[in-house]
Amino acid sequence: MTKRRALITGITGQDGSYLAEFLLSQDYEVIGVVRRTSTINFARIQHIQDDITLVSGDLLDQGSLIAILSEYKPQEVYNLAAQSFVPASWKQPVFTGEVTALGVTRVLEAVRTVDPTIRFYQASSSEMFGKVREVPQTETTPFYPRSPYGIAKVYGHWITINYRESYNLFACSGILFNHESPRRGLEFVTRKVTHYVAKIKLGMETQLPLGNLDSKRDWGYAGDYVRAMWLMLQQDKPDDYVVGTGETHAVRELCEVAFSYVGLNWEDYVTQDPRFMRPAEVDLLVSNPNKARHVLGWEPEVSFKQLIEMMVESDLEQLKKEHNL
Ligand code: NDP
Ligand code: GDR
């Protein structure tokens, strides 16, 4: 039997690397779209590079997407590429809109024109709920985004639904709450905290400057969340799903768990730095993942505490290796 073929945009990112591993374990042939960079940034996929095919393309370049789908003919497309860092979206709002919003239309247009039977996954975000209208948030909670990033994601979400309704595409939108891992970018708060904790423990740093300590997030493990993406495309009907743990924790709790894992008191090290405050904040996110649980049979397997401890452990190991400690 011929293998199923999946294409991932954003394969060099956190989720792309876990999704590629997962699809390989399901015996897929995996094609990853990478944009041209002057320095290679394949750190997250280095270990599977011989098992996947990397092709050059960009969400800003419609022609490249059409050419890739025509040549590789995947059955499933996972659109994970985005300018995904919320603070950067205030610095580069137009660019964020081009990639994170219009980029989705470019991929959908390529699917529609090349092969409308392709199953499509869009990486939507809990940032769309922003100043939340309801607690917890479900698939029907109204959106109130609070950043150019959140607004771009609302566009991506609705264009996905519109292509499903207009052209009968099998297009799904996963509204994923924050998910983290040892492969998370260093600029996001979980990884920033675990990386600093490891550095402080090893005597390489003395302080951790943070922004808002009161905001609350529903944090899960990225390895669990990529399974939900795949499950959405295996259903009989395309639909949208909220994916999260149903628990919420404040940034200060994240600090407490991470520092206490290495026997330190977070209050001795964390400082508040106005540089990391946002022009408009999302105060509280917490999911109601019942639909994903019942329809997809999806459950998260890693708890908040396990996640943070896994990340601190990994940062300690990595730093020790880098510095021959
Ligand atoms: P990352 O920031 O780690 O990865 C983003 C990926 O997009 C990278 O591979 C990046 O490539 C690629 N990319 C950026 N711009 C372009 C472009 N113009 N053309 C092609 N590729 C591009 O994000 P995550 O893995 O954390 O998230 C994956 C997706 O899920 C994103 O869309 C994000 O917005 C969304 N999301 C994430 C959540 C989370 O908690 N992680 C929660 C909800 C949604 P390069 O390596 O070259 O920069
Ligand atoms: P978020 O993640 O904006 O939710 O977007 P991030 O980890 O950046 O922020 C979470 C919360 O922590 C507060 N915070 C800080 N954040 C950062 N980055 N750095 C700090 O020093 C700091 N101090 C406090 C923030 O104010 C915020 O409230 C992530 C991204 O992955 C998006 O792409 C994705 O869509 C959403 O999660 C769901």
Side-chain angles (χ1 to χ4, degrees):
M1 219 178 76
T2 50
K3 283 189 171 192
R4 280 178 294 175
R5 190 177 291 168
L7 181 131
I8 304 174
T9 71
I11 196 164
T12 54
Q14 172 189 253
D15 291 8
S17 67
Y18 283 106
L19 180 63
E21 279 173 6
F22 176 78
L23 292 174
L24 288 173
S25 78
Q26 301 296 309
D27 208 28
Y28 275 75
E29 199 178 323
V30 176
I31 317 293
V33 178
V34 291
R35 55 179 174 168
R36 198 267 161 184
T37 45
S38 54
T39 310
I40 296 294
N41 60 351
F42 292 171
R44 294 184 178 105
I45 49 171
Q46 222 162 20
H47 60 297
I48 50 169
Q49 225 174 304
D50 292 341
D51 306 319
I52 59 182
T53 304
L54 297 178
V55 293
S56 182
D58 198 302
L59 252 59
L60 299 177
D61 185 344
Q62 179 76 74
S64 69
L65 301 170
I66 292 176
I68 291 168
L69 292 193
S70 305
E71 183 174 352
Y72 291 94
K73 301 183 173 49
Q75 285 97 34
E76 295 173 13
V77 168
Y78 295 85
N79 183 39
L80 309 186
Q83 190 302 93
S84 76
F85 189 44
V86 173
S89 77
W90 278 284
K91 304 284 181 210
Q92 291 186 280
V94 175
F95 173 74
T96 300
E98 283 289 352
V99 181
T100 306
L102 276 181
V104 186
T105 310
R106 293 192 190 95
V107 182
L108 282 165
E109 270 295 280
V111 167
R112 183 179 76 81
T113 49
V114 174
D115 177 5
T117 69
I118 289 173
R119 295 189 171 205
F120 174 83
Y121 173 83
Q122 166 58 15
S124 288
S125 163
S126 53
E127 278 295 293
M128 302 191 299
F129 298 122
K131 191 167 179 176
V132 295
R133 308 283 87 189
E134 189 176 47
V135 178
Q137 294 87 50
T138 72
E139 292 77 10
T140 54
T141 302
F143 299 137
Y144 191 146
R146 294 271 280 171
S147 63
Y149 167 82
I151 292 160
K153 282 288 179 188
V154 171
Y155 175 92
H157 177 74
W158 280 111
I159 199 72
T160 300
I161 293 172
N162 182 258
Y163 269 56
R164 180 166 78 215
E165 294 177 353
S166 306
Y167 304 115
N168 208 20
L169 293 190
F170 195 108
C172 300
S173 172
I175 307 174
L176 271 52
F177 283 63
N178 300 50
H179 44 276
E180 320 293 314
S181 73
R183 296 185 203 163
R184 187 57 141 156
L186 286 166
E187 67 275 35
F188 299 93
V189 76
T190 51
R191 183 76 199 289
K192 179 172 170 182
V193 169
T194 63
H195 190 238
Y196 267 80
V197 163
K199 280 188 147 176
I200 290 169
K201 182 68 184 173
L202 298 173
M204 299 170 187
E205 274 294 349
T206 52
Q207 286 202 323
L208 163 55
L210 287 176
N212 184 6
L213 301 178
D214 297 320
S215 55
K216 292 182 154 182
R217 290 291 183 275
D218 178 337
W219 278 297
Y221 172 53
D224 285 339
Y225 286 45
V226 298
R227 262 189 292 120
M229 299 176 184
W230 175 75
L231 283 168
M232 286 179 215
L233 297 199
Q234 312 314 310
Q235 303 305 305
D236 293 335
K237 282 191 330 228
D239 208 344
D240 310 317
Y241 298 87
V242 155
V243 177
T245 68
E247 270 182 38
T248 193
H249 299 274
V251 172
R252 65 178 74 243
E253 273 178 86
L254 155 68
C255 296
E256 208 176 304
V257 171
F259 278 94
S260 67
Y261 182 66
V262 296
L264 299 174
N265 178 1
W266 71 277
E267 285 162 309
D268 295 338
Y269 302 96
V270 172
T271 56
Q272 264 197 308
D273 185 330
R275 278 183 306 151
F276 300 108
M277 301 297 279
R278 299 179 180 187
E281 181 60 280
V282 171
D283 295 320
L284 162 74
L285 291 174
V286 60
S287 65
N288 172 348
N290 278 344
K291 184 175 171 184
R293 189 174 293 144
H294 292 130
V295 181
L296 304 177
W298 178 83
E299 293 280 353
E301 286 170 6
V302 176
S303 73
F304 172 67
K305 190 162 176 278
Q306 285 171 330
L307 169 68
I308 301 309
E309 293 182 352
M310 170 208 305
M311 291 172 69
V312 175
E313 196 60 57
S314 158
D315 276 319
L316 278 169
E317 251 173 58
Q318 221 171 294
L319 284 167
K320 283 183 191 164
K321 215 158 129 192
E322 275 166 27
H323 296 271
N324 288 322
L325 298 172

